[in-house]
Amino acid sequence: NPITIAGSEEPFIRASMMMPDRYMGTVMSLCIEKRGVNSNMHYTSPGRVELTYEMPLAEANPCVQFFESRTFPLQISLNFRMV
């Protein structure tokens, strides 16, 4: 019954991505397009950057697809367990 529902919240994820810095602009644009909010950006070494975005879980799949289509390896962990 919609009258008795007090509220609802959308599940969010915190995505931490490490990549060559040449992909940074593309990944940032994709995350922003998917309602992501940048919470951290850190250069881990020359030419490598770590981006952290918070975004709705429903919007995260296109970001994963972007990384899967690249030639560098992709590792996904959920609660610190590899999936």
Side-chain angles (χ1 to χ4, degrees):
N1 186 355
I3 297 174
T4 60
I5 297 173
S8 66
E9 294 184 9
E10 185 174 19
F12 265 66
I13 64 164
R14 179 174 296 128
S16 182
M17 303 161 274
M18 294 184 73
M19 69 200 78
D21 62 358
R22 66 179 175 269
Y23 294 117
M24 185 173 63
T26 304
V27 172
M28 289 177 81
S29 296
L30 182 61
C31 289
I32 291 168
E33 177 183 315
K34 301 301 177 184
R35 300 188 292 148
V37 177
N38 186 346
S39 60
N40 189 24
M41 180 175 75
H42 174 69
Y43 281 90
T44 57
S45 64
R48 294 200 54 84
V49 66
E50 179 182 10
L51 294 175
T52 304
Y53 272 84
E54 294 179 6
M55 68 179 69
L57 178 61
E59 300 283 359
N61 190 41
C63 295
V64 171
Q65 289 173 349
F66 170 81
F67 281 100
E68 287 177 341
S69 69
R70 299 297 169 245
T71 57
F72 52 87
L74 171 69
Q75 294 181 342
I76 300 173
S77 65
L78 181 62
N79 292 333
F80 304 106
R81 293 187 182 154
M82 298 304 293
V83 293

